[in-house]
Amino acid sequence: MSLEDLHLTLRNLTPEDYPQLETLMDAIYHDIGGAWTKHTIDTLIATFPDGQIVIEDDGRLVGMALTSRVDYEEFTNPHKYDDLIGKREVIHDDPDGDAMYGLDVLIHPDYRGYRLGRRLYDARKELCRSLNLRAILAGGRIPHYHNHAEELSPTQYIDKVTRKEIHDPILSFQLANDFQVKRLLRDYLPEDEKSQGYATLLEWNNFLYEPAELVLDTRKTQVRIGAVQWQMREFDSVEAVLQQVEYFVDALSDYKSDFAVFPELFNAPLMGLQDRAAQQDQMSAVRFLASFTEKFKAELSRMAVSYNINIVAGSMIEVGKDDRLYNVSYLCHRDGTLESQAKLHITPQERRDWVIEGGDGLLVFDTDAGRVGILICYDVEFPELPRLLAEQDMDILFVPFWTDTKNGYLRVRHCAQARAIENECYVVLCGSVGNVPSIENLDIQYAQSAVFSPSDFAFPHDAVLNETTPNTEMIFFSDLDLTRLTMVRNEGSVTNLKDRRKDLFDLRWRDWSWKSGADLEEN
């Protein structure tokens, strides 16, 4: 049969298909009882019509997949095929079941080699997702086991099939379709002499499943990020800076952003409120800057509530309870909650000129628009930190930064993009621009803010969702689809997080209390 002769259609089974279905099942299942009765098939169609799928070629039935709904907890425990069958050979279908059970998949011998079985399995998976069911279960025969029964136990046979040392027409096919063997089933189908009564319990997990009790409390999956590439400029008062901040927050809120993001130390120009002589004492100048932090925290929290937007407040200098200085980012939730993340790795310049200390805690923040982390500038150059956050199911990593030269910027950018790829998350890079020669240490800035994604088919070819014009004050937006992260983590071309060799290496945080900087005040 040539490909030009095929005219394939995927559709649901109807009662009128029974004569062809009976012929097909009798031919394939001649050794284990042949076809189901018409009453059995008609009842299954009536109770779960969407689950009965066939492929026809110009009206000829050439493939079919029969399915019922079951309780996941019950059928992931040991069971037999007869547990699915009621009186008069009626297949149990539970309308309240949270899983699908694959009963039969058959392909006409003349049509094998066209991957029609995979087509039926893909249709089942899409149905499972659309119905928000937990998984697809199946009791899989192992029909070639009788050829190896004398030298291999069923478990050894399954292991060799899994490693592709032995081919089994059913188990090998199931494994190739992303099913996992959960357990061995004994006396599953006693009349199946080729399998010697054994079967595998197979499971395909619907990683998009949302339990019914969580449906009303489900997080957003479409998240809009709004960020400000901030112009460093001279200000004559704290109020002038806050007025500029509120202008941007208002604008980002008007565009229905879920987050407003600002750069690292965006309020640093306030050091210019001191006279030039006072600025020469950099330790005194940075402590002067820290004196405004509490006011900024209060005002940004007010804006988050008033404008209904979560604000990643770049970073500011804060005096800890130990009277030491820390570079701290704040997450102002739109419900009024305030959380913080200290910069952990301090650059040589910060340590030398300002005597900034590194924090000692790392947080993942739960928000109404995903689980997020914040790493301030230099911290993103240490891949251990984003990996620890990724292990806490982070969706979005915010990186407020401040770099003076292009090579410094590119160092941060390249590291941030690598973090998006290796941790299968979104990374938002937000920096400041402008030259303020009248203020010590604010001479020059270089920035091109951007949003990075994992590198796979679901995302742009260069894994850059958006980026700004370099060295220009502006706002920019990106819409992030969190469902795509779930897909790439489970079914991507590569699956970095899943494929880590934890048998060879691991990574751990020394103190798993996950407090934000023990030396900082509670917020």
Side-chain angles (χ1 to χ4, degrees):
M1 182 186 306
S2 67
L3 289 172
E4 291 79 7
D5 295 330
L6 292 178
H7 298 87
L8 301 174
T9 303
L10 186 76
R11 62 172 176 81
N12 289 116
L13 182 68
T14 68
E16 291 71 31
D17 294 316
Y18 183 77
Q20 291 194 66
L21 182 145
E22 181 182 29
T23 301
L24 182 60
M25 292 191 78
D26 280 340
I28 303 298
Y29 287 159
H30 60 86
D31 57 336
I32 54 171
W36 290 106
T37 67
K38 189 174 189 307
H39 172 71
T40 302
I41 297 300
D42 287 349
T43 304
L44 190 59
I45 292 171
T47 56
F48 189 27
D50 289 341
Q52 320 318 318
I53 306 168
V54 298
I55 297 176
E56 66 174 11
D57 178 24
D58 270 342
R60 182 187 185 190
L61 200 67
V62 299
M64 69 155 200
L66 303 180
T67 313
S68 64
R69 292 167 294 189
V70 298
D71 178 76
Y72 178 85
E73 295 298 334
E74 179 181 355
F75 281 89
T76 48
N77 284 310
H79 62 275
K80 300 179 180 180
Y81 195 68
D82 285 347
D83 294 331
L84 292 158
I85 314 302
K87 295 180 180 179
R88 298 185 61 201
E89 290 196 327
V90 172
I91 298 171
H92 289 306
D93 177 70
D94 180 2
D96 297 321
D98 58 354
M100 290 167 55
Y101 198 102
L103 299 164
D104 297 289
V105 173
L106 301 178
I107 302 297
H108 193 287
D110 293 345
Y111 287 80
R112 291 174 184 169
Y114 294 112
R115 303 173 77 92
L116 301 188
R118 182 177 292 274
R119 196 175 300 198
L120 289 167
Y121 269 71
D122 287 345
R124 261 187 185 165
K125 292 174 184 177
E126 287 303 313
L127 178 62
C128 184
R129 287 172 177 153
S130 69
L131 296 178
N132 189 37
L133 297 178
R134 185 170 176 175
I136 301 174
L137 304 174
R141 300 168 58 213
I142 44 176
H144 281 190
Y145 176 60
H146 69 282
N147 296 324
H148 304 270
E150 291 186 4
E151 68 270 13
L152 297 175
S153 69
T155 302
Q156 290 171 328
Y157 176 79
I158 292 167
D159 186 54
K160 285 185 174 291
V161 174
T162 301
R163 297 202 306 267
K164 297 187 176 180
E165 296 174 12
I166 297 174
H167 176 80
D168 184 277
I170 292 179
L171 180 55
S172 297
F173 175 75
Q174 299 273 22
L175 294 173
N177 278 277
D178 302 320
F179 278 74
Q180 302 294 320
V181 177
K182 306 299 289 184
R183 64 168 72 242
L184 179 69
L185 298 175
R186 301 176 186 277
D187 298 321
Y188 180 74
L189 199 62
E191 60 268 35
D192 180 8
E193 295 180 359
K194 291 182 178 179
S195 302
Q196 298 199 353
Y198 292 108
T200 56
L201 176 62
L202 297 145
E203 178 177 346
W204 175 83
N205 177 48
N206 175 16
F207 51 79
L208 299 179
Y209 169 66
E210 290 284 353
E213 63 270 19
L214 299 179
V215 169
L216 294 179
D217 193 34
T218 300
R219 293 183 308 173
K220 296 182 66 166
T221 58
Q222 302 293 322
V223 177
R224 177 163 294 174
I225 302 295
V228 181
Q229 185 159 280
W230 174 266
Q231 173 88 33
M232 291 289 200
R233 54 170 71 82
E234 293 185 44
F235 290 98
D236 57 12
S237 67
V238 174
E239 289 71 26
V241 181
L242 288 169
Q243 182 180 29
Q244 187 70 23
V245 169
E246 189 157 5
Y247 163 77
F248 284 123
V249 170
D250 187 8
L252 297 174
S253 175
D254 282 346
Y255 286 98
K256 308 300 181 186
S257 296
D258 294 294
F259 290 94
V261 189
F262 288 86
E264 178 183 18
L265 297 179
F266 66 97
N267 69 345
L270 288 175
M271 287 189 290
L273 295 182
Q274 290 184 304
D275 60 39
R276 188 73 175 174
Q279 290 181 45
Q280 298 305 309
D281 181 353
Q282 294 191 42
M283 279 292 299
S284 173
V286 78
R287 281 190 174 267
F288 175 74
L289 178 63
S291 68
F292 303 114
T293 297
E294 288 303 315
K295 182 176 181 63
F296 271 81
K297 286 161 61 177
E299 284 299 303
L300 284 160
S301 286
R302 174 191 64 78
M303 293 178 203
V305 174
S306 298
Y307 292 96
N308 189 29
I309 189 170
N310 301 300
I311 299 177
V312 179
S315 77
M316 291 174 270
I317 301 298
E318 179 169 315
V319 180
K321 289 190 292 185
D322 56 4
D323 199 42
R324 296 177 178 179
L325 298 178
Y326 296 87
N327 186 349
V328 184
S329 183
Y330 302 96
L331 176 58
C332 306
H333 296 258
R334 50 184 156 199
D335 65 2
T337 306
L338 178 68
E339 297 183 281
S340 63
Q341 172 64 60
K343 190 173 186 176
L344 305 185
H345 296 88
I346 304 305
T347 64
Q349 179 272 324
E350 287 176 291
R351 188 182 305 112
R352 180 185 63 247
D353 295 341
W354 293 345
V355 195
I356 300 293
E357 299 280 341
D360 58 8
L362 188 64
L363 281 170
V364 173
F365 304 102
D366 264 316
T367 76
D368 55 14
R371 286 174 62 80
V372 309
I374 303 172
L375 293 178
I376 302 170
C377 197
Y378 194 32
D379 277 343
V380 82
E381 298 181 30
F382 297 83
E384 300 89 348
L385 299 182
R387 176 52 50 86
L388 288 166
L389 294 172
E391 290 181 345
Q392 300 292 312
D393 299 323
M394 174 186 64
D395 301 308
I396 307 166
L397 176 61
F398 293 102
V399 183
F401 74 95
W402 175 12
T403 53
D404 52 359
T405 62
K406 188 171 183 179
N407 65 303
Y409 160 74
L410 289 175
R411 186 169 58 243
V412 173
R413 178 189 175 103
H414 294 326
C415 289
Q417 190 156 24
R419 305 298 86 90
I421 293 169
E422 65 200 15
N423 295 300
E424 298 168 330
C425 66
Y426 295 109
V427 177
V428 180
L429 197 63
C430 183
S432 57
V433 301
N435 305 318
V436 193
S438 62
I439 300 175
E440 193 75 24
N441 277 333
L442 289 184
D443 308 40
I444 56 174
Q445 337 282 317
Y446 186 96
Q448 184 178 21
S449 304
V451 180
F452 304 124
S453 71
S455 185
D456 213 327
F457 293 112
F459 307 99
H461 73 279
D462 58 359
V464 179
L465 287 172
N466 200 355
E467 57 187 347
T468 62
T469 303
N471 288 341
T472 302
E473 184 171 67
M474 60 187 296
I475 60 176
F476 70 109
F477 302 91
S478 278
D479 287 339
L480 311 184
D481 186 343
L482 302 187
T483 302
R484 291 187 178 185
L485 295 182
T486 306
M487 298 289 289
V488 77
R489 290 167 183 170
N490 287 274
E491 296 182 349
S493 301
V494 294
T495 48
N496 298 71
L497 292 177
K498 283 174 62 177
D499 293 339
R500 285 172 293 156
R501 288 289 305 276
K502 291 187 175 182
D503 58 322
L504 300 179
F505 61 87
D506 63 10
L507 177 66
R508 67 185 186 277
W509 185 259
R510 289 185 183 275
D511 177 10
W512 286 101
S513 62
W514 292 80
K515 294 295 183 182
S516 178
D519 289 334
L520 302 182
E521 295 182 5
E522 294 293 330
N523 293 304

